[in-house]
Amino acid sequence: MTHRPPCALIVDDEPDILTLLGISLERMGIQTRPSANLGEAQAALEEGHFDFCLTDLRLPDGDGLELVRYIQQRHPGLPVAVITAHGDMQSAIDALKSGAFDFVNKPLDLGRLRGMVETALRLRPIRPGATGGEGSDRLIGDAPIMQALRAQIAKAARCQAPIFIQGESGTGKEVIARLIHDLGPRAAAPFVPINCGAIPAELMESELFGHRKGSFTGASADKPGLFQAAHGGTLFLDEVADLPLAVQVKLLRALQERAVRPVGATREEPVDTRVISASHKHLAQRVQEGEFRQDLFYRLNVIQLNAPALREHPEDIAALAHAILRRLAERDHQPVRALAPDALHALEGHTFPGNVRELENILERAVALGEGGAIERGDLSFGNTPAPTATITPVTPQASTIDDESAQIIQALESHRWNRTRAAEALGMTLRQLRYRLEKMGLK
């Protein structure tokens, strides 16, 4: 059985550009069909099958955005990228908002073009009726708001536009970001998360962009940054609202130029990294307060997804609780604990200011301190106030033990520049266990 080579539709009214694009793509084993205007392109789309489309924004009989919208309506599975004038970021953002897969600037960087086309061709075909169920094993919930979110995630995964995830703490913003990454064409490349609020301001630039040996005291060797570590994949900037203003300027340039300059370097290095950011703070309000750059806000917020609070879909608490109890049982190599009806009723009546993370903590405490068998209402402790019918009297550790553990945790965090994931690994505990201990210490 022979497989047909991929075919690309290229649209530009400049013959030299069409020739250059045709030669470049054909060297990649891609057949091409040139079109000089919007009308020709629309006719070609109805006549043949294409795996990719590349169009200039300025066409003699219309606008490249019209073609992007036409493809979204008539051929939604076809990735389309646009060619923009250098520095015309607003047009590029408009194209991404309209559904474009990505963009490339003039004068054309053929290396960047080839990388973009390769990424587009890795997209999986859309399966009719499947988008609403994508990722249901990780983003649990059948409430309408969750079904709509999964559909948005499936759509967002098929483009390269920057995405901003707004949501309260504990709503699963990183779960959403990982799902976008795993459903998209970059799934085989790294997903690199960073909590922007957990790294000291003076180290943030080096962490993001890397540094050269001798660029500052303690820089004993060249070190790549997280942008470079995520090359070909996704960089997740959690709590992006906490970025210092000086670093925001450099991040904006990195996004616009798709290149980074390590601390102490004289030249920029190209990077192919998709950026997804998130915050529990409202970026628009931070912009009004002068704490966040407006131009960076528009650059990050091309597509916005909202992570719903748990109180917005309480009908999913039962499914979430059972999934958490299964995960805890697997982790501890214990039988899965059942949830008694009165306990479930109590959970469904709670407002969960800490959202899914709070639900996890409540159930983890119940599993750890319970006597076995089904989890009853009295096994649940909400916040710092135990349930009225609680019969559990946990043993209080000696103060010296608490102090020793606290000191170890603080030392590990400082040794790893307050990167909680790395500190948890060094301490031999899970990130959830570290978060629980930090909460008990009054550090969030």
Side-chain angles (χ1 to χ4, degrees):
M1 179 178 177
T2 59
H3 296 280
R4 68 170 183 82
C7 185
L9 174 66
I10 49 178
V11 189
D12 201 298
D13 63 334
E14 297 184 42
D16 290 346
I17 296 292
L18 282 179
T19 300
L20 175 63
L21 291 173
I23 292 173
S24 299
L25 296 183
E26 285 166 8
R27 285 177 176 171
M28 298 172 63
I30 300 171
Q31 294 180 348
T32 62
R33 176 165 174 176
S35 295
N37 55 55
L38 181 63
E40 284 186 20
Q42 291 174 338
L45 286 165
E46 301 313 315
E47 293 171 4
H49 175 84
F50 298 96
D51 302 284
F52 180 71
C53 176
L54 180 63
T55 178
D56 194 8
L57 277 183
R58 300 182 182 278
L59 299 173
D61 59 342
D63 191 315
L65 287 180
E66 293 181 53
L67 184 59
V68 172
R69 298 186 189 105
Y70 180 87
I71 289 174
Q72 283 290 298
Q73 293 172 359
R74 304 286 292 271
H75 307 276
L78 175 62
V80 52
V82 298
I83 303 170
T84 64
H86 181 72
D88 187 5
M89 286 306 302
Q90 188 55 54
S91 294
I93 291 173
D94 290 343
L96 293 171
K97 285 182 178 290
S98 297
F101 169 79
D102 208 344
F103 70 93
V104 63
N105 286 325
K106 289 182 179 180
L108 294 174
D109 181 331
L110 296 182
R112 156 81 184 132
L113 172 67
R114 285 190 289 268
M116 180 181 68
V117 174
E118 288 172 354
T119 302
L121 293 178
R122 287 197 295 269
L123 279 172
R124 291 174 289 181
I126 292 178
R127 292 181 291 114
T131 54
E134 295 282 0
S136 57
D137 56 332
R138 281 185 283 172
L139 199 63
I140 296 169
D142 290 324
I145 196 172
M146 296 302 292
Q147 293 183 26
L149 176 60
R150 283 198 294 271
Q152 291 173 331
I153 288 170
K155 187 175 181 180
R158 297 185 61 81
C159 74
Q160 299 301 290
I163 294 172
F164 174 67
I165 305 170
Q166 175 74 54
E168 297 176 9
S169 295
T171 50
K173 296 187 287 295
E174 184 171 335
V175 173
I176 293 172
R178 285 184 181 273
L179 195 51
I180 293 169
H181 171 80
D182 291 343
L183 292 176
R186 296 175 178 265
F191 175 91
V192 179
I194 177 176
N195 188 321
C196 299
I199 297 177
E202 61 272 15
L203 297 177
M204 181 58 73
E205 182 179 355
S206 173
E207 284 291 314
L208 283 177
F209 311 123
H211 62 251
R212 291 286 178 262
K213 178 180 179 180
S215 56
F216 54 85
T217 303
S220 57
D222 288 355
K223 175 183 175 295
L226 296 176
F227 260 95
Q228 293 94 324
H231 183 77
T234 303
L235 177 62
F236 176 53
L237 302 175
D238 198 7
E239 298 305 339
V240 71
D242 293 335
L243 276 178
L245 283 168
V247 179
Q248 291 179 29
V249 176
K250 294 179 173 18
L251 175 60
L252 176 64
R253 179 168 178 82
L255 292 172
Q256 291 183 163
E257 301 300 326
R258 302 189 179 191
V260 298
R261 178 178 293 178
V263 177
T266 58
R267 292 187 300 178
E268 291 182 328
E269 302 174 356
V271 288
D272 174 22
T273 305
R274 184 183 194 178
V275 172
I276 301 176
S277 59
S279 180
H280 74 279
K281 300 175 182 177
H282 291 276
L283 281 190
Q285 182 178 340
R286 299 280 288 177
V287 170
Q288 292 178 351
E289 295 168 349
E291 297 296 326
F292 203 85
R293 292 181 61 97
Q294 186 178 51
D295 46 7
L296 179 58
F297 168 70
Y298 287 125
R299 191 68 186 89
L300 291 172
N301 196 38
V302 175
I303 296 175
Q304 179 171 327
L305 300 180
N306 294 309
L310 187 51
R311 62 182 174 275
E312 297 180 61
H313 55 116
E315 61 267 47
D316 291 328
I317 288 176
L320 284 163
H322 291 310
I324 292 167
L325 290 172
R326 284 197 304 271
R327 191 160 61 242
L328 292 173
E330 291 172 2
R331 185 197 69 185
D332 299 334
H333 304 288
Q334 297 292 329
V336 179
R337 299 282 295 276
L339 198 62
D342 64 336
L344 177 58
H345 181 71
L347 290 173
E348 290 177 336
H350 185 52
T351 57
F352 285 102
N355 296 294
V356 177
R357 187 178 298 145
E358 181 183 356
L359 176 62
E360 291 177 337
N361 289 340
I362 289 172
L363 292 175
E364 187 169 14
R365 283 195 292 267
V367 168
L369 303 177
E371 297 294 336
I375 295 173
E376 304 289 344
R377 169 68 177 86
D379 297 327
L380 304 178
S381 176
F382 295 97
N384 295 322
T385 305
T389 56
T391 57
I392 300 169
T393 54
V395 177
T396 303
Q398 296 295 320
S400 59
T401 303
I402 296 174
D403 292 342
D404 289 345
E405 184 182 53
S406 299
Q408 291 175 356
I409 290 173
I410 295 297
Q411 182 179 2
L413 287 167
E414 290 178 344
S415 298
H416 293 85
R417 298 178 179 177
W418 289 85
N419 183 309
R420 295 186 183 190
T421 301
R422 295 177 186 172
E425 292 174 353
L427 290 164
M429 61 178 68
T430 66
L431 181 57
R432 184 187 297 111
Q433 290 170 328
L434 177 58
R435 285 171 174 161
Y436 176 65
R437 284 163 173 76
L438 289 173
E439 182 180 351
K440 300 292 282 186
M441 292 163 57
L443 297 173
K444 294 184 178 181

